[in-house]
Amino acid sequence: MWDSWLGSGRVVGASDALLQLGTLLPERWRTERALVVVDSAVADRADQVVAPLSAAGCEVATLVVPGGESHKTWSTVEQVVGAAVGHLVRRQGLLVGLGGGAVTDLTGFAAAVYLRGVDWMAVPTTLLAQVDAAIGGKTAIDLVYGKNLVGAFHPPRLVVADPRWLATLPLREWRSGLGEIVKAALLQGNGGWTQALELPAPPGGEEQLWPLVEAAVRLKVDVVKRDPNELDPDGGRAILNLGHTVGHAIEAAAGMGPLSHGEAVGVGLLAACWLSEQLVGLDPSVRAALRARLTRWGMPTGVPQVDSDEVVRFVARDKKNRGDTTIFVLLRAPGEAVTAAVPPALVEEVARRAVSDLL
Ligand SMILES: NC(=O)c1ccc[n+]([C@@H]2O[C@H](COP(=O)([O-])OP(=O)(O)OC[C@H]3O[C@@H](n4cnc5c(N)ncnc54)[C@H](O)[C@@H]3O)[C@@H](O)[C@H]2O)c1
Ligand SMILES: [Zn+2]
């Protein structure tokens, strides 16, 4: 069980969190109208959220939207706003995002702009949304020009994560969450990293998984508290990008579809470890252990389907770059992250190794 505060937002996770939902709702919501935006993948279980909201006194309406990235768009936000207007949700009312990260991101964004901002609650139903997307207050939608191009910092007032949603998660989505969990474990070091190395292949292993989920959430909450609006370029929130410089580049080079975000992050973490060995003295045993664990989880350790020049080009476009220098988050050891400028020759070499499965 975890229960922490991030600014004025409460983040609660427990194996019976849904059963506690009624008691977690702030008093001021109990006489208000709530619109629950439901991911189609969990629509048959929406009542687990709707019933306690109604029992607490909220006037509840639901809107089912298709889950997944391709629907994280203006037109879905328009549907949400239309439904909120239709249900007469007022400034004091609330939106609830029930689903994967795409649905929590777009519901949070709709809550940021509807009536210039209303409260919202996130009920994340994928592993990735529970450890990452629903935590930290970033909300966004995608445009044809690129992902997450329009958004707002608009933290949910309440996040309620319950492992029971995960029972229906496809293997690919498990792996996507594991990429972020192993990233958090590397940033945390010590016990967390050791525990991550013992996690069995998904699905299952809930007893071993849940403490790691909890640790990943705590890490993100702590980091975001120090830098809520991502203004500190070196420390702060930027360290959460460990593995993401090469990870995002691989994802972009592969195009939508073949790799899940977490799978790309897994390879990106191997790349960050290799660069850390070259530049800041990370012990190579960390990369070897990570590689063995990714293989055990059925995740890729290389990406033969992409072109290494493409990867280099996408790394060069990374938003963290300053001038021509690529800034990476690296590790001196698990638990000791640093940011460092990486010379172009090493970026090319690590991209070649990622593509050839030599990390
Ligand atoms: N705001 C942030 O800080 C932040 C951080 C990381 C990621 N994100 C965003 O999160 C999104 C990715 O989230 P995601 O990985 O949850 O993917 P997703 O929301 O696309 O969900 C993946 C698939 O799983 C389905 N699904 C959801 N819950 C399910 C369940 N319990 N059982 C079976 N299927 C289920 C969805 O319908 C979808 O088809 C991206 O849009 C990304 O940009 C945001
Ligand atoms: Zn990520």
Side-chain angles (χ1 to χ4, degrees), residues 113-135:
V113 294
Y114 176 60
L115 301 180
R116 300 190 182 84
V118 296
D119 280 359
W120 76 288
M121 166 167 91
V123 184
T125 63
T126 63
L127 188 55
L128 185 124
Q130 292 186 346
V131 296
D132 195 358
I135 316 284

Short mmCIF file of all heavy atoms in Angstrom, two decimals, residues 113-135:
data_model
loop_
_atom_site.label_atom_id
_atom_site.label_comp_id
_atom_site.label_asym_id
_atom_site.label_seq_id
_atom_site.Cartn_x
_atom_site.Cartn_y
_atom_site.Cartn_z
N VAL A 113 -8.51 22.00 -19.73
CA VAL A 113 -9.04 23.06 -20.60
C VAL A 113 -10.56 23.26 -20.46
O VAL A 113 -11.06 24.35 -20.75
CB VAL A 113 -8.68 22.82 -22.10
CG1 VAL A 113 -7.18 22.94 -22.29
CG2 VAL A 113 -9.19 21.48 -22.62
N TYR A 114 -11.29 22.26 -20.02
CA TYR A 114 -12.75 22.40 -19.88
C TYR A 114 -13.05 23.46 -18.80
O TYR A 114 -12.55 23.36 -17.68
CB TYR A 114 -13.35 21.04 -19.50
CG TYR A 114 -14.85 21.09 -19.23
CD1 TYR A 114 -15.73 21.50 -20.22
CD2 TYR A 114 -15.36 20.73 -17.98
CE1 TYR A 114 -17.10 21.56 -19.97
CE2 TYR A 114 -16.73 20.77 -17.72
CZ TYR A 114 -17.59 21.19 -18.72
OH TYR A 114 -18.94 21.26 -18.48
N LEU A 115 -13.82 24.45 -19.15
CA LEU A 115 -14.16 25.55 -18.24
C LEU A 115 -12.91 26.17 -17.60
O LEU A 115 -12.90 26.54 -16.44
CB LEU A 115 -15.13 25.07 -17.14
CG LEU A 115 -16.45 24.48 -17.61
CD1 LEU A 115 -17.30 24.04 -16.42
CD2 LEU A 115 -17.23 25.49 -18.45
N ARG A 116 -11.82 26.19 -18.33
CA ARG A 116 -10.51 26.70 -17.88
C ARG A 116 -9.92 25.90 -16.72
O ARG A 116 -9.10 26.38 -15.95
CB ARG A 116 -10.59 28.18 -17.48
CG ARG A 116 -11.03 29.07 -18.61
CD ARG A 116 -10.87 30.53 -18.26
NE ARG A 116 -11.36 31.35 -19.35
CZ ARG A 116 -12.64 31.65 -19.52
NH1 ARG A 116 -13.54 31.25 -18.66
NH2 ARG A 116 -13.00 32.38 -20.56
N GLY A 117 -10.37 24.66 -16.60
CA GLY A 117 -9.74 23.79 -15.60
C GLY A 117 -10.71 23.30 -14.55
O GLY A 117 -11.28 24.08 -13.80
N VAL A 118 -10.93 21.96 -14.53
CA VAL A 118 -11.72 21.34 -13.45
C VAL A 118 -10.85 20.25 -12.82
O VAL A 118 -9.84 19.83 -13.39
CB VAL A 118 -13.04 20.73 -13.98
CG1 VAL A 118 -13.95 21.80 -14.56
CG2 VAL A 118 -12.78 19.63 -15.02
N ASP A 119 -11.25 19.80 -11.65
CA ASP A 119 -10.54 18.70 -10.97
C ASP A 119 -10.62 17.42 -11.80
O ASP A 119 -11.57 17.21 -12.56
CB ASP A 119 -11.21 18.39 -9.62
CG ASP A 119 -10.80 19.36 -8.53
OD1 ASP A 119 -9.97 20.26 -8.81
OD2 ASP A 119 -11.31 19.22 -7.41
N TRP A 120 -9.63 16.57 -11.61
CA TRP A 120 -9.75 15.25 -12.23
C TRP A 120 -9.08 14.18 -11.36
O TRP A 120 -8.25 14.49 -10.51
CB TRP A 120 -9.22 15.24 -13.65
CG TRP A 120 -7.73 15.23 -13.86
CD1 TRP A 120 -6.86 16.26 -13.63
CD2 TRP A 120 -6.95 14.14 -14.37
NE1 TRP A 120 -5.58 15.88 -13.98
CE2 TRP A 120 -5.61 14.59 -14.43
CE3 TRP A 120 -7.25 12.84 -14.80
CZ2 TRP A 120 -4.56 13.77 -14.89
CZ3 TRP A 120 -6.21 12.04 -15.26
CH2 TRP A 120 -4.89 12.51 -15.30
N MET A 121 -9.51 12.96 -11.60
CA MET A 121 -8.97 11.81 -10.89
C MET A 121 -8.51 10.78 -11.93
O MET A 121 -9.16 10.63 -12.96
CB MET A 121 -10.08 11.21 -10.01
CG MET A 121 -9.77 9.83 -9.48
SD MET A 121 -10.91 9.35 -8.19
CE MET A 121 -12.17 8.53 -9.08
N ALA A 122 -7.39 10.12 -11.65
CA ALA A 122 -6.90 9.08 -12.57
C ALA A 122 -7.05 7.70 -11.92
O ALA A 122 -6.67 7.51 -10.76
CB ALA A 122 -5.44 9.33 -12.92
N VAL A 123 -7.62 6.78 -12.68
CA VAL A 123 -7.65 5.37 -12.24
C VAL A 123 -6.92 4.58 -13.34
O VAL A 123 -7.53 4.12 -14.31
CB VAL A 123 -9.09 4.86 -12.04
CG1 VAL A 123 -9.08 3.44 -11.49
CG2 VAL A 123 -9.87 5.78 -11.10
N PRO A 124 -5.59 4.46 -13.21
CA PRO A 124 -4.80 3.82 -14.27
C PRO A 124 -4.99 2.30 -14.28
O PRO A 124 -4.99 1.67 -13.23
CB PRO A 124 -3.35 4.19 -13.89
CG PRO A 124 -3.39 4.47 -12.41
CD PRO A 124 -4.77 4.97 -12.10
N THR A 125 -5.13 1.75 -15.47
CA THR A 125 -5.44 0.31 -15.57
C THR A 125 -4.36 -0.50 -16.29
O THR A 125 -4.53 -1.68 -16.51
CB THR A 125 -6.79 0.09 -16.30
OG1 THR A 125 -6.66 0.59 -17.63
CG2 THR A 125 -7.93 0.78 -15.58
N THR A 126 -3.27 0.15 -16.73
CA THR A 126 -2.12 -0.61 -17.25
C THR A 126 -0.96 -0.41 -16.28
O THR A 126 -0.93 0.56 -15.52
CB THR A 126 -1.67 -0.11 -18.64
OG1 THR A 126 -1.22 1.24 -18.52
CG2 THR A 126 -2.77 -0.18 -19.68
N LEU A 127 0.00 -1.33 -16.37
CA LEU A 127 1.18 -1.22 -15.51
C LEU A 127 1.91 0.09 -15.78
O LEU A 127 2.32 0.80 -14.85
CB LEU A 127 2.09 -2.43 -15.79
CG LEU A 127 3.29 -2.63 -14.88
CD1 LEU A 127 2.89 -2.68 -13.42
CD2 LEU A 127 4.03 -3.92 -15.28
N LEU A 128 2.05 0.45 -17.06
CA LEU A 128 2.76 1.69 -17.40
C LEU A 128 2.04 2.92 -16.86
O LEU A 128 2.65 3.84 -16.35
CB LEU A 128 2.95 1.81 -18.91
CG LEU A 128 3.80 3.03 -19.25
CD1 LEU A 128 5.01 2.64 -20.07
CD2 LEU A 128 3.01 4.11 -19.93
N ALA A 129 0.73 2.93 -16.97
CA ALA A 129 -0.01 4.09 -16.47
C ALA A 129 0.09 4.17 -14.94
O ALA A 129 0.16 5.25 -14.38
CB ALA A 129 -1.47 4.01 -16.92
N GLN A 130 0.13 3.00 -14.27
CA GLN A 130 0.20 3.02 -12.81
C GLN A 130 1.55 3.52 -12.31
O GLN A 130 1.62 4.21 -11.30
CB GLN A 130 -0.09 1.62 -12.25
CG GLN A 130 -1.55 1.21 -12.49
CD GLN A 130 -1.94 -0.10 -11.83
OE1 GLN A 130 -1.09 -0.87 -11.40
NE2 GLN A 130 -3.23 -0.35 -11.76
N VAL A 131 2.64 3.16 -13.01
CA VAL A 131 3.96 3.57 -12.51
C VAL A 131 4.43 4.89 -13.12
O VAL A 131 5.37 5.49 -12.63
CB VAL A 131 5.06 2.50 -12.76
CG1 VAL A 131 4.76 1.24 -12.00
CG2 VAL A 131 5.30 2.24 -14.23
N ASP A 132 3.80 5.32 -14.20
CA ASP A 132 4.36 6.46 -14.92
C ASP A 132 3.31 7.47 -15.38
O ASP A 132 3.23 8.59 -14.87
CB ASP A 132 5.18 5.93 -16.12
CG ASP A 132 6.10 6.96 -16.72
OD1 ASP A 132 6.09 8.10 -16.24
OD2 ASP A 132 6.85 6.64 -17.67
N ALA A 133 2.47 7.08 -16.35
CA ALA A 133 1.64 8.08 -17.04
C ALA A 133 0.70 8.85 -16.11
O ALA A 133 0.49 10.05 -16.29
CB ALA A 133 0.84 7.40 -18.15
N ALA A 134 0.13 8.15 -15.11
CA ALA A 134 -0.88 8.82 -14.28
C ALA A 134 -0.25 9.64 -13.15
O ALA A 134 -0.94 10.36 -12.45
CB ALA A 134 -1.85 7.79 -13.69
N ILE A 135 1.08 9.52 -13.00
CA ILE A 135 1.76 10.20 -11.89
C ILE A 135 2.51 11.42 -12.43
O ILE A 135 3.23 11.31 -13.42
CB ILE A 135 2.83 9.27 -11.24
CG1 ILE A 135 2.32 7.86 -11.04
CG2 ILE A 135 3.40 9.88 -9.96
CD1 ILE A 135 1.40 7.67 -9.91
#
